[in-house]
Amino acid sequence: MAARLGDMTQIRFALAQIDTCVGDLAGNAAKVLDYTRRAAGEHARVVVFPEMTLTGYPIEDLALRRTFRQAAWNQANELAAALAAEGLGGLYVAVGTVGTDPETSKPRNRMVVLHEGVVWAGYDKHFLPNYGVFDEFRIFSAGDRSVVIDVDGARIGVAICEDIWQDGGPVAELAERGIDLLLTMNGSPYEEGKTHTRMELAVRRAREVGAPLIYLNQVGGQDDLIFDGGSFVVDSDGTLLERSPMFMEDLSYFTLDTDAARQTPTSIAADLDPDEEVYTACVLGLKDYMRKNGFKGVTLGLSGGIDSALVAAMAADACGGGNVWGISMPSMYSSDGSKDDAADLAANLGAHYDIQPIEPLFAAFQSQLALEGVAAENLQARIRGVIVMAYSNAKGLLALATGNKSELACGYSTIYGDAVGGYAPIKDLLKTRVWELARWRNKAAAAGMGIGGLAVVGNERRDAGVPLPDGVMIPVNSIVKAPSAELRPGQKDSDSLPEYGLLDRVLSAYIEHAHGRADLLADGFDEATVDTVMRLVDRAEWKRRQYPLGPKVTALAFGRDRRLPVTTAFRE
Amino acid sequence: MAARLGDMTQIRFALAQIDTCVGDLAGNAAKVLDYTRRAAGEHARVVVFPEMTLTGYPIEDLALRRTFRQAAWNQANELAAALAAEGLGGLYVAVGTVGTDPETSKPRNRMVVLHEGVVWAGYDKHFLPNYGVFDEFRIFSAGDRSVVIDVDGARIGVAICEDIWQDGGPVAELAERGIDLLLTMNGSPYEEGKTHTRMELAVRRAREVGAPLIYLNQVGGQDDLIFDGGSFVVDSDGTLLERSPMFMEDLSYFTLDTDAARQTPTSIAADLDPDEEVYTACVLGLKDYMRKNGFKGVTLGLSGGIDSALVAAMAADACGGGNVWGISMPSMYSSDGSKDDAADLAANLGAHYDIQPIEPLFAAFQSQLALEGVAAENLQARIRGVIVMAYSNAKGLLALATGNKSELACGYSTIYGDAVGGYAPIKDLLKTRVWELARWRNKAAAAGMGIGGLAVVGNERRDAGVPLPDGVMIPVNSIVKAPSAELRPGQKDSDSLPEYGLLDRVLSAYIEHAHGRADLLADGFDEATVDTVMRLVDRAEWKRRQYPLGPKVTALAFGRDRRLPVTTAFRE
């Protein structure tokens, strides 16, 4: 609602931080209608939604289908009409969608404004990111003009995501044209530490255009990406005016006073603990992957080790302990301690718990195959994979792979064995981080956070969750004992790998920060360790490219390169 | 050797159609040296190699590694020096490599000319393909100037691959500047029917520049791409002057007479039969995948059906029957006929042949799991997958998946079961094509073509190969019997799928030509079939995106879209 009081124009913006679903045009439109209704009830004049609201984001090659673009166009028009029919036509509703370049017929990443029953000619994203997880230049053609919307005499400049990450282009044009506010819609995936980067960038752009900036971000999991929300508003001098919570849908407000030199701050969501942030990101990713793909429950092997324990805890937080089917699959090499730890975990979570010994199955295979060495170790892992998939098929459950980034990076994993699964929640967490998150989750449990009681995941605000019997989620034994694959007598991870503290530091430098051999030595790592890790990683990368393991998990890059040829003789 | 006879300048070009290996800088350079030596012996003045000769092609994100670009630069300089040291410095040796954009430090797709011990400043590819299997715009920055090389007074214009597929750019500039010959180096992957398209395009460009055009193409398999060679020269009036064979390395020659209005044709390789072409492409892809990844042999399940029979035949042609380990894994539902057909096939190929009954293993699992329906069928397939991988691990063999495109497209396959394997030779062949290729291979066998005796694969010219005992490669039973997965009593593919002739026509329209539902009905398919196939394909595409199945196989697109989100509610 615009109110002119003397000289003063106040325009109320609603920040609709929603979780869209790729391809679900009708569902996303219904959510826009719902949030707009609520925003109107709070006297908003402008409602802003995330990048590509109607289509979901990222839509990859769906954008190239003519039938999809036609359906999106129809949906936008129906939505504008529906808003007007409900008496909401007076609002300015900014939604993202897919457009078509009239000249080349290529798709475009477009913002349209729904107003008075009409889909206004939109703004097309100018800078199309083409690096890391983004392939937009492949799919879209670029817009080439800046757009200013007049709302009650206020000049609202608009931009989409990458447009503010690059110098020049539409933001520079808007700075020249002069605006009262820069409105940006974003689909910016979560990465550790990115909150700070985004804020710095927004402050720089707000200064450039000399006006407040609204940064509205998508929230929710989409395949291997997790969008963290955390939308915010900064003033032209860099003051933080508003911040929405991370990892949940939200509807917050900001009122622009076009005549004031400085705007008035409203609500600012608190920071999360770094471990809580990553844990919550993983749970949201899994939860949305299940919901958007129609899974009600999960199944996984519970070895008693820390990896499967953390994955089970995340799964319980995502879908409730009663929807988790844990399978203990002991072999002749499994310790009693491991079996007890697995049973304790399942009891803590209220999870289903079955014991399926693999010894008789292993014996049956060995009577025919008589395998030795690594082939025999892999056989055990693959028998377990067959059992997990049998549960998945028979009960319609999502199979979870429990490998962590350290062991996957080093190839300490069996393809079609422990790597089996449709989703791998901790695939992008180094082993030392796995321990940290387990400790954090237990600390939170001790402080009273029950199962599913996460601060911010999904759409539930902080509540206690389902109580944990003794205030413990993950058995302490699983955290403190020496890691072992238990595939031969007395086996320890440290027989094959450097100690995890050292290994993870080398892996972080080598695969996450792309340090070459010379860089690693300059980092102070000893030559023997560097060469061991490089050999393991290069071999494992090659094997992984040969046998794709399953979905990626978080926006954290798995390795050094996004795409490498399977066949390459180059080693560094 | 340039010879000036009166007014006439003759320049002899060597077309070095070689099979490079991605990342093998030293190996590729050694091959350039070897071919240049041979070309010098035949009095060549200019030797042209394929796109990105030194690095291999496509190098994907390897291009982004600074250490790799530095190594490529060193290799180019060492090669120029080595050529000069052998007295070959007088030749002009055109090779492809990766360069660095001095302004942005981004990689470039570059042609350099090695001459008199020096790496000449090169030409950078202008048009960077960013569709289908190509992602070059993501990786490289674009060159922005055309280049003419002076060789003995003749003006040689140069272009790289996509540069001739787009109007404008460097070729249009060269046409204005005036040239005596257009030299192009290419990495153009095989697709059925593309030979004709390339030729038409080259004729158009030769006319545009008013000069002969050399089209030098790479040959060999690289991951899921197969480069077919088939280099050629066309005159400015469209006359075919030279054509190199497909699917093998080759060194051919063409002499340019700069004073002649029309050039003199030399050798022109014969066309291949369409089935021979596709069969040979598949064998070359497998053969190079094995060679470049260090595999000497393969293992696969032999069911007695046509799919595994064709894959085994291709494998025998690729690596010799003695390097093929066939495993018969009969269940209680396997017919005697199937077991006999598998044994006959192995005998024909001279392959290793083991029988591993799965009944006792199935019984062991079932005593614990008591599965029913599809879960029990999948269990059989997964037990077989475990056995195949056990052979792969124990003997160091490449596991081959035997699924065809029709069944994979419809989801008639078990993940971690029959889909197990590091390479899937017929993944991109529809079932009807599988039958056609089997018939073609038997016809060739009857005509005397033994195992490995293909006309053109690899580097061996036509020979008889290893004789087949009765002139039969694939048992006729395997070709003529009704297809069955044999996972329950009396099961036939036709219980679950439309008849393959019809199914393949719908699949071709739906997944290869991207016809939507309305298009399919307009194509004349009945509504019930269209809806059945669309439902099967959409479900299977989703499952495949959830569980990546393994490498793609040929340059033929597998489905409608290269990349789709796993999570999408859109169905068409």
Side-chain angles (χ1 to χ4, degrees):
Chain A
M1 186 75 56
R4 180 161 281 273
L5 307 167
D7 276 337
M8 200 172 78
T9 299
Q10 291 202 325
I11 302 173
R12 194 159 159 81
F13 291 82
L15 280 64
Q17 174 177 293
I18 65 169
D19 186 349
T20 57
C21 179
V22 163
D24 187 7
L25 297 165
N28 296 332
K31 200 172 263 190
V32 170
L33 192 58
D34 176 42
Y35 273 71
T36 303
R37 260 186 222 126
R38 291 165 53 193
E42 299 286 331
H43 311 296
R45 181 70 169 150
V46 180
V47 193
V48 55
F49 288 89
E51 184 172 6
M52 302 205 81
T53 324
L54 295 181
T55 57
Y57 178 83
I59 58 173
E60 302 284 356
D61 286 6
L62 263 186
L64 303 174
R65 289 204 204 163
R66 190 182 43 74
T67 50
F68 181 69
R69 296 206 300 275
Q70 183 63 48
W73 172 245
N74 293 341
Q75 192 69 63
N77 281 280
E78 282 165 29
L79 177 58
L83 286 163
E86 290 204 20
L88 303 170
L91 279 77
Y92 294 81
V93 179
V95 298
T97 186
V98 64
T100 300
D101 180 345
E103 195 179 322
T104 64
S105 295
K106 280 194 77 171
R108 288 191 154 189
N109 183 330
R110 179 165 293 177
M111 177 194 301
V112 294
V113 177
L114 311 180
H115 183 61
E116 300 294 5
V118 172
V119 180
W120 282 23
Y123 165 75
D124 291 340
K125 190 175 184 175
H126 179 82
F127 290 112
L128 300 170
N130 204 52
Y131 54 85
V133 299
F134 303 108
D135 288 293
E136 294 201 17
F137 190 90
R138 174 186 172 90
I139 300 163
F140 300 112
S141 77
D144 50 9
R145 62 193 187 90
S146 60
V147 169
V148 176
I149 300 163
D150 182 306
V151 177
D152 307 324
R155 294 169 57 78
I156 313 299
V158 298
I160 304 178
C161 208
E162 187 77 6
D163 289 336
I164 66 167
W165 290 79
Q166 308 288 336
D167 290 326
V171 175
E173 270 185 50
L174 293 173
E176 276 193 26
R177 293 174 67 180
I179 53 175
D180 295 310
L181 180 136
L182 179 53
L183 184 70
T184 74
M185 53 174 52
N186 302 270
S188 178
Y190 175 69
E191 281 174 39
E192 281 198 81
K194 201 174 181 184
T195 303
H196 187 67
T197 313
R198 280 187 203 133
M199 186 73 73
E200 276 190 341
L201 178 75
V203 166
R204 187 146 66 87
R205 296 302 173 205
R207 289 204 168 110
E208 184 179 347
V209 297
L213 182 151
I214 294 179
Y215 185 98
L216 189 287
N217 194 22
Q218 168 175 356
V219 71
Q222 172 62 36
D223 295 359
D224 56 338
L225 298 180
I226 296 152
F227 297 89
D228 51 323
S231 304
F232 59 88
V233 185
V234 288
D235 208 343
S236 59
D237 69 347
T239 307
L240 182 61
L241 299 170
E242 190 279 340
R243 188 166 65 188
S244 310
M246 295 177 79
F247 304 118
M248 65 183 301
E249 292 192 314
D250 184 74
L251 186 57
S252 291
Y253 299 90
F254 163 71
T255 300
L256 173 72
D257 179 346
T258 57
D259 296 319
R262 293 287 167 263
Q263 306 296 321
T264 312
T266 56
S267 70
I268 295 178
D271 282 328
L272 297 183
D273 171 277
D275 287 331
E276 178 173 20
E277 192 179 289
V278 171
Y279 185 91
T280 309
C282 290
V283 173
L284 176 58
L286 173 58
K287 184 170 186 159
D288 260 7
Y289 191 82
M290 292 181 66
R291 182 171 61 82
K292 294 178 181 179
N293 287 296
F295 288 104
K296 303 280 184 225
V298 303
T299 186
L300 74 166
L302 294 184
S303 69
I306 186 60
D307 297 320
S308 57
L310 183 66
V311 170
M314 287 175 169
D317 278 329
C319 66
N323 291 312
V324 175
W325 265 259
I327 319 169
S328 167
M329 296 176 281
S331 74
M332 42 289 182
Y333 309 126
S334 299
S335 65
D336 289 341
S338 292
K339 292 180 238 179
D340 294 345
D341 295 340
D344 289 351
L345 172 71
N348 293 351
L349 301 179
H352 302 264
Y353 182 67
D354 282 2
I355 302 176
Q356 298 285 358
I358 66 164
E359 259 188 277
L361 304 167
F362 184 72
F365 274 103
Q366 283 294 60
S367 75
Q368 291 185 213
L369 300 174
L371 300 172
E372 295 171 358
V374 171
E377 295 184 25
N378 285 339
L379 174 59
Q380 297 169 60
R382 292 201 177 106
I383 290 170
R384 294 189 174 116
V386 171
I387 294 171
V388 168
M389 289 307 295
Y391 274 70
S392 169
N393 288 169
K395 297 178 194 291
L397 303 167
L398 175 65
L400 297 182
T402 61
N404 65 64
K405 186 168 186 165
S406 305
E407 67 184 28
L408 292 172
C410 292
Y412 202 67
S413 166
T414 300
I415 178 75
Y416 311 132
D418 53 301
V420 149
Y423 198 84
I426 62 169
K427 185 175 171 184
D428 212 10
L429 302 180
L430 293 169
K431 182 80 171 188
T432 47
R433 201 70 203 267
V434 169
W435 280 311
E436 285 163 5
L437 294 194
R439 290 202 172 92
W440 173 82
R441 187 62 187 86
N442 269 1
K443 208 169 60 180
M449 186 195 290
I451 297 165
L454 283 179
V456 283
V457 164
N459 226 359
E460 302 114 42
R461 292 204 173 259
R462 186 187 292 273
D463 66 29
V466 176
L468 286 155
D470 307 307
V472 173
M473 192 124 174
I474 297 170
V476 175
N477 261 342
S478 295
I479 303 179
V480 299
K481 71 183 170 193
S484 166
E486 298 192 333
L487 293 172
R488 59 172 186 264
Q491 186 178 31
K492 293 275 175 287
D493 290 10
S494 53
D495 303 342
S496 311
L497 302 174
E499 173 267 316
Y500 277 115
L502 173 62
L503 175 63
D504 284 359
R505 288 195 302 279
V506 180
L507 288 175
S508 175
Y510 186 44
I511 69 176
E512 293 180 344
H513 297 99
H515 288 199
R517 188 170 183 281
D519 306 316
L520 294 171
L521 295 175
D523 291 339
F525 298 112
D526 71 280
E527 197 163 359
T529 303
V530 166
D531 288 337
T532 300
V533 175
M534 287 181 68
R535 183 176 47 74
L536 289 168
V537 169
D538 289 353
R539 174 86 189 159
E541 279 192 356
W542 174 67
K543 284 222 155 194
R544 190 164 44 244
R545 293 195 299 276
Q546 281 192 301
Y547 302 94
L549 280 189
K552 295 166 286 172
V553 175
T554 76
L556 308 171
F558 182 83
R560 288 174 296 167
D561 308 275
R562 177 148 180 256
R563 289 189 287 223
L564 277 186
V566 175
T567 304
T568 167
F570 184 73
R571 296 281 178 268
E572 144 76 7
Chain B
M1 186 73 58
R4 181 159 280 275
L5 307 168
D7 275 339
M8 202 172 76
T9 298
Q10 292 203 327
I11 302 173
R12 192 159 160 84
F13 290 83
L15 281 64
Q17 173 178 296
I18 65 169
D19 186 348
T20 57
C21 178
V22 163
D24 188 8
L25 297 164
N28 296 332
K31 199 171 262 189
V32 170
L33 191 58
D34 175 43
Y35 274 70
T36 303
R37 262 186 222 125
R38 291 165 52 194
E42 299 288 330
H43 310 297
R45 180 71 169 149
V46 180
V47 193
V48 56
F49 288 89
E51 184 171 7
M52 301 203 82
T53 324
L54 295 181
T55 58
Y57 179 83
I59 58 173
E60 302 284 357
D61 286 6
L62 262 186
L64 303 174
R65 289 202 203 165
R66 189 182 42 76
T67 50
F68 181 69
R69 297 207 300 277
Q70 182 64 47
W73 171 245
N74 293 342
Q75 191 70 63
N77 281 280
E78 284 166 27
L79 177 59
L83 287 163
E86 290 204 20
L88 303 170
L91 279 77
Y92 295 80
V93 179
V95 297
T97 187
V98 63
T100 300
D101 181 345
E103 196 179 321
T104 64
S105 294
K106 281 194 76 171
R108 288 190 152 187
N109 183 330
R110 180 166 292 176
M111 176 194 301
V112 294
V113 177
L114 312 179
H115 183 61
E116 301 295 4
V118 172
V119 180
W120 282 24
Y123 166 75
D124 290 341
K125 190 174 184 177
H126 179 83
F127 290 111
L128 300 170
N130 203 51
Y131 53 84
V133 299
F134 303 107
D135 287 293
E136 294 201 18
F137 189 89
R138 173 187 172 89
I139 300 163
F140 300 113
S141 78
D144 51 9
R145 62 195 187 89
S146 60
V147 169
V148 175
I149 301 163
D150 181 304
V151 177
D152 306 323
R155 295 169 56 78
I156 313 298
V158 299
I160 304 178
C161 209
E162 187 77 5
D163 290 335
I164 66 167
W165 290 79
Q166 308 288 334
D167 289 327
V171 175
E173 269 185 50
L174 293 173
E176 274 193 27
R177 293 174 68 179
I179 52 175
D180 295 310
L181 180 134
L182 178 54
L183 184 69
T184 74
M185 53 174 52
N186 302 270
S188 179
Y190 175 69
E191 282 173 39
E192 280 198 80
K194 201 173 179 184
T195 303
H196 187 66
T197 313
R198 280 186 203 134
M199 186 72 75
E200 276 190 341
L201 177 76
V203 166
R204 187 146 65 86
R205 296 301 173 206
R207 289 203 168 112
E208 185 180 344
V209 297
L213 181 150
I214 293 180
Y215 186 99
L216 189 286
N217 195 23
Q218 168 175 354
V219 71
Q222 172 63 35
D223 295 359
D224 57 337
L225 298 180
I226 296 152
F227 296 90
D228 51 323
S231 305
F232 60 88
V233 185
V234 289
D235 208 343
S236 59
D237 69 347
T239 307
L240 181 61
L241 299 170
E242 188 278 342
R243 189 166 64 186
S244 310
M246 294 177 81
F247 303 118
M248 65 183 301
E249 293 192 312
D250 185 73
L251 186 57
S252 291
Y253 299 90
F254 163 71
T255 300
L256 173 72
D257 179 345
T258 56
D259 297 318
R262 293 287 167 263
Q263 306 296 322
T264 311
T266 55
S267 70
I268 294 178
D271 281 327
L272 296 183
D273 172 277
D275 287 331
E276 178 173 19
E277 192 179 290
V278 172
Y279 184 92
T280 308
C282 290
V283 173
L284 176 57
L286 173 57
K287 184 169 186 159
D288 260 7
Y289 192 82
M290 293 181 66
R291 183 172 61 82
K292 294 178 181 179
N293 286 297
F295 288 105
K296 303 280 183 225
V298 302
T299 185
L300 74 166
L302 294 184
S303 69
I306 186 61
D307 298 320
S308 57
L310 183 66
V311 170
M314 287 175 169
D317 277 329
C319 65
N323 291 311
V324 175
W325 265 258
I327 319 169
S328 168
M329 296 175 281
S331 74
M332 43 287 182
Y333 309 126
S334 299
S335 65
D336 288 342
S338 291
K339 293 180 239 182
D340 293 346
D341 295 339
D344 289 351
L345 172 71
N348 292 352
L349 301 179
H352 302 264
Y353 182 67
D354 282 0
I355 301 176
Q356 298 286 359
I358 67 164
E359 258 188 277
L361 304 167
F362 184 73
F365 275 103
Q366 283 293 61
S367 74
Q368 293 185 211
L369 300 174
L371 300 172
E372 295 173 354
V374 172
E377 295 184 25
N378 284 340
L379 174 59
Q380 297 168 59
R382 293 202 177 106
I383 290 169
R384 292 187 174 118
V386 171
I387 294 171
V388 168
M389 289 307 296
Y391 273 70
S392 169
N393 288 168
K395 297 178 193 290
L397 302 168
L398 175 64
L400 297 181
T402 60
N404 65 63
K405 186 169 186 165
S406 305
E407 66 184 27
L408 291 172
C410 292
Y412 202 67
S413 167
T414 300
I415 177 75
Y416 311 133
D418 53 301
V420 150
Y423 198 86
I426 62 169
K427 184 175 173 183
D428 213 10
L429 302 181
L430 293 170
K431 183 79 171 189
T432 46
R433 200 71 203 268
V434 169
W435 279 312
E436 285 164 5
L437 295 195
R439 289 201 173 91
W440 173 81
R441 187 62 188 87
N442 269 1
K443 207 168 62 181
M449 186 195 291
I451 296 166
L454 285 178
V456 283
V457 164
N459 226 358
E460 302 114 42
R461 292 203 174 259
R462 188 187 292 274
D463 66 29
V466 176
L468 285 155
D470 307 306
V472 173
M473 191 125 173
I474 296 170
V476 175
N477 261 342
S478 296
I479 303 179
V480 300
K481 71 183 169 192
S484 167
E486 297 192 333
L487 293 172
R488 60 172 185 262
Q491 186 178 31
K492 292 274 175 288
D493 290 10
S494 53
D495 303 340
S496 312
L497 301 175
E499 173 267 316
Y500 277 115
L502 173 61
L503 174 63
D504 284 358
R505 288 194 302 278
V506 180
L507 288 176
S508 175
Y510 185 45
I511 70 176
E512 292 179 343
H513 297 100
H515 287 200
R517 187 170 185 280
D519 306 316
L520 293 171
L521 295 175
D523 291 339
F525 297 113
D526 71 282
E527 195 162 2
T529 303
V530 166
D531 288 337
T532 300
V533 174
M534 286 181 69
R535 183 176 48 74
L536 290 169
V537 168
D538 289 354
R539 173 88 188 158
E541 279 192 356
W542 174 68
K543 285 222 154 194
R544 190 163 45 243
R545 292 194 300 275
Q546 281 191 300
Y547 302 92
L549 279 190
K552 297 166 285 169
V553 175
T554 76
L556 307 171
F558 182 84
R560 289 174 296 167
D561 307 276
R562 176 147 180 258
R563 288 189 289 223
L564 276 187
V566 175
T567 304
T568 167
F570 184 74
R571 297 281 179 268
E572 144 78 2

